[in-house]
Amino acid sequence: QVQLVESGGGLMQAGGSLRLSCVASGRTFSMYGMGWFRQAPGKEREFVARISWSGENTFYADSVKGRFTISRDNAKNTVYLQMNSLKPEDTAVYYCAAPSVAYSLPATQNGYTYWGQGTQVTVSS
């Protein structure tokens, strides 16, 4: 049973930084790409960033490019999202997600099978 558990959310002032973590269990972590998504109040869930199984390839939404960094530590079964220069519009529940197919890195939400419970990030102005 694959499980994803996020942590690190909280309340931050605009311009501040937070680092989210997602610990995975239930299979060989280093074989799977990982993604971060977010859902703001009243909006649909959207892509934030994704990282390949080796960590060599990363992709970002335009809205976070240059401010957020996704990384992973395969020895710790953990993927991170470092968020800098936070803006009020970054306020959302952040989810990590994983596909069911090894050595894949889906570009859309539909490609992700496993989801964490989410962690709230609130950025005040």
Side-chain angles (χ1 to χ4, degrees):
Q1 180 75 9
V2 176
Q3 288 191 322
L4 305 174
V5 180
E6 303 101 332
S7 62
L11 175 63
M12 180 60 62
Q13 286 191 329
S17 298
L18 282 173
R19 188 177 80 157
L20 306 183
S21 300
C22 172
V23 179
S25 61
R27 62 183 184 182
T28 305
F29 180 72
S30 60
M31 292 173 59
Y32 296 87
M34 296 291 294
W36 283 99
F37 296 81
R38 67 186 182 185
Q39 186 167 21
K43 295 188 177 181
E44 294 190 352
R45 190 165 56 190
E46 65 177 5
F47 165 73
V48 175
R50 63 184 186 269
I51 187 168
S52 61
W53 48 95
S54 65
E56 186 174 351
N57 298 304
T58 57
F59 303 89
Y60 298 91
D62 288 343
S63 58
V64 307
K65 203 171 294 183
R67 300 188 298 121
F68 290 11
T69 302
I70 188 171
S71 62
R72 65 189 295 157
D73 185 339
N74 286 344
K76 295 183 178 180
N77 290 356
T78 302
V79 61
Y80 304 97
L81 185 68
Q82 178 66 44
M83 306 186 294
N84 298 330
S85 302
L86 283 163
K87 303 176 180 180
E89 51 263 45
D90 294 320
T91 295
V93 178
Y94 284 71
Y95 300 90
C96 68
S100 58
V101 178
Y103 305 113
S104 71
L105 189 58
T108 64
Q109 296 185 44
N110 290 341
Y112 292 82
T113 304
Y114 304 102
W115 294 81
Q117 82 287 353
T119 186
Q120 176 71 48
V121 172
T122 302
V123 184
S124 62
S125 57

